[in-house]
Amino acid sequence: MFSGLFFVSLLALPGFGKFLQSSADLQAYDFVVIGAGPGGAAVSNRLTEDPNVSVLVVEAGGTNNDSITIDVPLLCTMLTPNTQWDWNYTTTPQPNLNDRVLPFPRGLGLGGTSAVNCLVYTRGSKQNIDRWAELSGDSSWGWDAMLPYFKKSEKFNFPVDGHNVSGQFDPAFHGFDGFIGVSVPGASRAIDDRVIQTTKDLAEFPFSIDMNTGDHLGVSWVQALVDRGIRSSAAAYFSPEVLARQNLDILLNTRVSRVLASSKNSFNVVQYLDSVDGKLKTIKAAKEVILSAGAVGTPSILLHSGIGNATHLTSLGIKPLVNLPSVGQNLTDHIGVSSTWLVNSTLTYDAVLRNETLAEELLQQWKATKTGIYVDTSENHLAFLRLPENSTVLKEFGDPAAGNETAHFEFLFQNGLNSVTASGNYLNIPSGNVSPKSSGAVTINSTNPFDAPVIDPGLLSHPVDIAVLREAIKSAHRFVKAAAWKGYILQDLTNATTDAEIEDFIRENAVSFFHPVATAAMSPFNTTDWGVVNPDLKVKSVKGLRIVDASVAPSLPAAHTSAAVYGIAERAADIIKAEYGLL
Ligand SMILES: Cc1cc2nc3c(=O)[nH]c(=O)nc-3n(C[C@H](O)[C@H](O)[C@H](O)COP(=O)(O)OP(=O)(O)OC[C@H]3O[C@@H](n4cnc5c(N)ncnc54)[C@H](O)[C@@H]3O)c2cc1C
Ligand SMILES: *[C@@H]1O[C@H](CO)[C@@H](O)[C@H](O)[C@H]1NC(C)=O
Ligand SMILES: *[C@@H]1O[C@H](CO)[C@@H](O)[C@H](O)[C@H]1NC(C)=O
Ligand SMILES: *[C@@H]1O[C@H](CO)[C@@H](O)[C@H](O)[C@H]1NC(C)=O
Ligand SMILES: *[C@@H]1O[C@H](CO)[C@@H](O)[C@H](O)[C@H]1NC(C)=O
Ligand SMILES: *[C@@H]1O[C@H](CO)[C@@H](O)[C@H](O)[C@H]1NC(C)=O
Ligand SMILES: *[C@@H]1O[C@H](CO)[C@@H](O)[C@H](O)[C@H]1NC(C)=O
Ligand SMILES: *[C@@H]1O[C@H](CO)[C@@H](O)[C@H](O)[C@H]1NC(C)=O
Ligand SMILES: *[C@@H]1O[C@H](CO)[C@@H](O)[C@H](O)[C@H]1NC(C)=O
Ligand SMILES: *[C@@H]1O[C@H](CO)[C@@H](O)[C@H](O)[C@H]1NC(C)=O
Ligand SMILES: *[C@@H]1O[C@H](CO)[C@@H](O)[C@H](O)[C@H]1NC(C)=O
Ligand SMILES: *[C@@H]1O[C@H](CO)[C@@H](O)[C@H](O)[C@H]1NC(C)=O
Ligand SMILES: *[C@@H]1O[C@H](CO)[C@@H](O)[C@H](O)[C@H]1NC(C)=O
């Protein structure tokens, strides 16, 4: 009786011995995973389902478990840039954006960037994911094969206000037993009815029940990474039950500098900076090192390890060990800009942001009951739309999208601005180009692995991209011309009507949507002239090193990117388990 109780209480200790603060506590591990974002968290969870396999996760940041700003979905815009949860990167001056230097946040700590993002859950179109199969030469990276993995990651949950969700999502395309919470909005907003009415007024903006079925075109209720009113980041893969596994350790506050070869071409050693004594140390994985440091961190670590463009590495003074010129190249990202209108209403978020009493009441409501507008992300609806098929832009440049059922642009319908204004109430529609042709690169310019990488997303470097964004802004203006908005719109604050004026407005105001991918892309097994990993996600030409994060996606879906990474990581875990005969 006594010993039984003792046993139970030991097991119940939260996170007992799982978070390591010092390398003195390290043991021997089969796999060492670098980074605890969507890629690293999901793959280390699934691998440790087999009790006979041991995994160490090395994460540069902390647990991120002490911040209400992370937990409250609506406060997402306060999390970056330049905060304790951010790597604080910026881009190089962007020549097509009047040489502006843009913030380029990347999340630090458990959950990685999914702990600081704005929670939108979108998979892209079937054509987007089928393009991965085409580029990698492996049909199991296509939509039909990936759909079960998207569903496996997901714990769809019903909104906190208990409203009837029929007609707001299609359950056939969702998973209910995974780790990351996904939900439709849990509180209504004053513009909801007008947005829905517009889909009835104007044929250009059809309603779509669910943007995650593979057919993503239309205006839909947003699906957000929320679990009963609380942000659900990749840290959800480290639930108390998972942390209780004796075969999973997570070394926090520890930055990886390089991967090293234990023998010729076997890169299964991780070099890291010991946060206690400030010395560089190493740990060897018995089976593999898995790089999950994200689309910026992963190529940066590879380059500092001598894996990349040999000419470039030599010019920096880094000894090239493996010549893979695609490392860091082909970085593809989304760009967008807001259109804003002054509106005839007091029921917008602006009114909350400049009334501390009201903001505090909403926070207390969230704390007490996990209800109210704080349970949702920045918008209740979004749209994925195409240019008309007779558009002169398509005639001039061809179709930049992955196919005829894939969006060119998206809208986020925000009931108010996300910044404090002295007066006024606003409607804000950030519009993004979601099928860009532009690309850039992540490179390094020093031999110190702790220096910031050089990030050039090459925004608008292909001329079709500004034309698409220009047409998107015109389309957003047509949206608010619908009868549903009569008497609501007071003033258009974009101040741009001609094509040239709108393009100037874009160059002066557009920002990254922070969706970089493809910097360590998959290419077919026997392709050596481009790509970084094979379709099994192993780094080409070496042993003991695999990549599981946004950098392996060979093309950018017309979507916010975390859903893609969860799907990639779930599939990666099955690939690895099959190879080693794991459970
Ligand atoms: C402001 C913002 C808003 C966004 N909004 C959305 C959204 O609404 N919906 C959406 O789906 N996506 C959104 N994204 C993008 C999305 O969050 C990313 O695509 C996703 O998190 C990528 O997952 P990842 O595992 O590849 O990398 P990350 O999430 O970046 O994780 C990488 C992890 O590796 C760690 N790491 C990096 N380098 C090292 C090192 N040297 N040593 C140790 N650890 C290291 C990092 O600290 C981090 O924890 C947004 C991104 C930003 C910045
Ligand atoms: C566990 O792993 C060890 C070493 O990798 C192996 O020898 C052993 O057979 C495995 N046991 C089971 C039950 O799979
Ligand atoms: C956060 O996690 C750490 C490590 O497990 C733990 O010591 C701490 O008490 C946790 N804090 C909160 C607020 O849960
Ligand atoms: C980013 O800046 C914030 C605020 O100055 C700081 O707290 C944080 O440690 C910085 N992040 C990194 C990785 O240095
Ligand atoms: C490698 O880098 C060099 C110098 O930076 C560049 O000229 C060359 O084109 C690159 N090689 C490949 C194959 O991309
Ligand atoms: C970029 O990706 C394309 C495929 O989308 C490929 O053909 C090209 O070679 C890649 N470029 C580099 C430098 O990797
Ligand atoms: C601020 O909010 C409080 C609480 O809802 C309300 O009583 C007050 O009237 C508001 N103040 C203004 C200036 O709107
Ligand atoms: C495209 O077709 C629509 C509807 O048929 C028409 O109104 C519009 O003028 C056409 N646009 C161009 C550029 O041809
Ligand atoms: C897209 O193209 C395919 C193949 O040509 C066709 O079958 C399909 O109907 C098209 N879809 C739309 C929406 O036009
Ligand atoms: C290297 O890149 C960083 C980040 O872009 C920049 O701040 C720094 O000035 C660059 N250094 C050199 C020597 O080019
Ligand atoms: C503002 O809305 C009210 C009704 O809510 C309406 O009576 C008034 O005409 C509107 N004002 C403008 C300028 O449209
Ligand atoms: C547009 O003009 C209005 C009124 O003059 C001004 O308040 C607003 O800041 C301008 N917007 C932009 C984006 O320049
Ligand atoms: C790659 O090439 C090897 C040797 O030429 C061949 O045996 C193998 O089947 C090829 N793999 C694929 C996926 O084409």
Side-chain angles (χ1 to χ4, degrees):
M1 176 69 180
F2 176 77
S3 66
L5 271 178
F6 183 65
F7 181 67
V8 167
S9 69
L10 243 190
L11 277 185
L13 278 179
F16 178 70
K18 295 295 108 181
F19 289 117
L20 312 180
Q21 301 292 343
S22 159
S23 67
D25 302 324
L26 294 179
Q27 331 244 319
Y29 302 93
D30 293 314
F31 296 91
V32 178
V33 176
I34 303 170
V43 81
S44 46
N45 170 315
R46 294 304 182 185
L47 290 179
T48 53
E49 285 175 340
D50 186 332
N52 198 29
V53 105
S54 57
V55 172
L56 171 71
V57 181
V58 183
E59 166 56 48
T63 57
N64 283 341
N65 64 355
D66 55 357
S67 172
I68 201 165
T69 318
I70 287 182
D71 291 339
V72 175
L74 193 60
L75 299 183
C76 66
T77 56
M78 294 168 63
L79 295 166
T80 62
N82 303 322
T83 60
Q84 65 182 101
W85 310 286
D86 185 12
W87 286 77
N88 306 331
Y89 295 143
T90 54
T91 66
T92 57
Q94 294 296 290
N96 303 300
L97 296 170
N98 298 338
D99 282 331
R100 286 182 296 128
V101 169
L102 307 175
F104 207 77
R106 299 283 90 200
L108 176 71
L110 278 200
T113 307
S114 73
V116 302
N117 73 15
C118 270
L119 310 117
V120 173
Y121 181 80
T122 50
R123 299 166 179 164
S125 69
K126 177 178 190 298
Q127 293 171 336
N128 280 138
I129 308 302
D130 284 344
R131 186 114 177 84
W132 291 357
E134 208 179 291
L135 287 166
S136 67
D138 181 340
S139 63
S140 54
W141 285 108
W143 173 267
D144 290 341
M146 286 299 290
L147 182 57
Y149 289 109
F150 289 135
K151 290 164 83 167
K152 186 177 185 184
S153 65
E154 191 185 7
K155 183 174 79 178
F156 195 93
N157 61 102
F158 293 94
V160 288
D161 63 359
H163 76 266
N164 180 353
V165 294
S166 76
Q168 296 190 350
F169 86 113
D170 183 346
F173 290 86
H174 293 275
F176 296 81
D177 306 316
F179 282 88
I180 47 156
V182 175
S183 183
V184 292
S188 60
R189 300 215 181 147
I191 61 170
D192 289 352
D193 291 347
R194 293 182 202 272
V195 172
I196 295 297
Q197 185 58 42
T198 307
T199 67
K200 297 169 184 162
D201 292 349
L202 298 179
E204 186 180 353
F205 307 104
F207 178 75
S208 161
I209 184 172
D210 193 321
M211 74 203 95
N212 285 320
T213 63
D215 172 6
H216 75 158
L217 293 174
V219 179
S220 307
W221 291 90
V222 75
Q223 293 172 18
L225 289 148
V226 171
D227 192 349
R228 300 297 295 172
I230 308 172
R231 172 192 292 269
S232 189
S233 78
Y237 273 96
F238 299 124
S239 63
E241 293 73 20
V242 174
L243 290 173
R245 292 176 188 164
Q246 294 304 305
N247 55 344
L248 172 64
D249 283 349
I250 303 170
L251 179 62
L252 296 170
N253 301 307
T254 302
R255 277 180 75 165
V256 167
S257 43
R258 302 178 174 89
V259 288
L260 308 175
S262 60
S263 61
K264 189 170 168 10
N265 273 355
S266 190
F267 282 78
N268 60 341
V269 177
V270 173
Q271 183 194 57
Y272 62 93
L273 186 70
D274 187 306
S275 62
V276 177
D277 62 14
K279 293 195 174 122
L280 287 178
K281 297 190 178 161
T282 60
I283 181 160
K284 182 174 166 179
K287 291 189 168 66
E288 292 183 11
V289 168
I290 298 177
L291 254 172
S292 300
V296 172
T298 285
S300 173
I301 291 169
L302 289 171
L303 293 168
H304 283 290
S305 308
I307 302 173
N309 178 327
T311 317
H312 178 236
L313 291 173
T314 303
S315 73
L316 278 172
I318 293 174
K319 187 177 171 213
L321 301 177
V322 184
N323 183 27
L324 282 177
S326 291
V327 171
Q329 300 297 306
N330 263 351
L331 186 165
T332 316
D333 190 14
H334 291 146
I335 181 171
V337 64
S338 278
S339 298
T340 304
W341 295 266
L342 189 68
V343 300
N344 181 14
S345 168
T346 53
L347 302 174
T348 69
Y349 190 40
D350 313 284
V352 176
L353 282 175
R354 54 175 178 258
N355 183 338
E356 281 174 26
T357 314
L358 182 52
E360 184 57 28
E361 278 176 11
L362 288 166
L363 187 63
Q364 290 309 329
Q365 181 185 359
W366 182 86
K367 279 186 184 165
T369 61
K370 303 289 178 301
T371 60
I373 63 168
Y374 275 28
V375 303
D376 292 322
T377 187
S378 317
E379 55 280 321
N380 273 1
H381 297 94
L382 37 79
F384 286 93
L385 298 163
R386 282 179 62 78
L387 298 170
E389 301 307 322
N390 65 356
S391 158
T392 54
V393 174
L394 299 183
K395 270 205 197 84
E396 184 177 354
F397 297 101
D399 189 347
N404 61 348
E405 292 166 9
T406 302
H408 294 119
F409 54 88
E410 78 169 315
F411 295 148
L412 309 168
F413 299 103
Q414 300 180 346
N415 181 34
L417 292 171
N418 260 308
S419 53
V420 185
T421 46
S423 62
N425 294 83
Y426 303 89
L427 170 70
N428 194 37
I429 307 187
S431 308
N433 176 334
V434 291
S435 290
K437 289 279 260 193
S438 302
S439 64
V442 177
T443 54
I444 56 172
N445 62 1
S446 92
T447 56
N448 179 353
F450 304 116
D451 282 349
V454 180
I455 304 169
D456 177 9
L459 296 170
L460 302 183
S461 55
H462 192 291
V464 70
D465 289 346
I466 195 166
V468 167
L469 205 43
R470 180 190 75 215
E471 295 308 310
I473 288 169
K474 291 187 195 168
S475 174
H477 283 74
R478 288 193 293 273
F479 192 90
V480 303
K481 288 282 189 317
W485 302 91
K486 202 165 183 292
Y488 190 78
I489 302 289
L490 296 177
Q491 190 187 355
D492 176 5
L493 298 179
T494 309
N495 307 335
T497 36
T498 67
D499 282 6
E501 284 167 358
I502 297 172
E503 292 188 11
D504 284 347
F505 171 77
I506 291 168
R507 292 187 199 285
E508 194 51 35
N509 295 288
V511 291
S512 165
F513 271 17
F514 315 125
H515 296 157
V517 301
T519 50
M522 271 187 251
S523 71
F525 262 103
N526 289 342
T527 294
T528 51
D529 60 341
W530 75 278
V532 175
V533 298
N534 285 327
D536 60 5
L537 306 186
K538 286 182 183 168
V539 175
K540 289 173 186 275
S541 318
V542 309
K543 293 200 189 82
L545 183 60
R546 220 181 282 251
I547 302 179
V548 179
D549 62 23
S551 43
V552 302
S555 60
L556 177 58
H560 302 245
T561 36
S562 70
V565 184
Y566 289 116
I568 288 170
E570 289 283 5
R571 177 160 149 68
D574 272 4
I575 293 173
I576 298 167
K577 285 177 168 187
E579 184 171 330
Y580 292 95
L582 307 179
L583 298 174

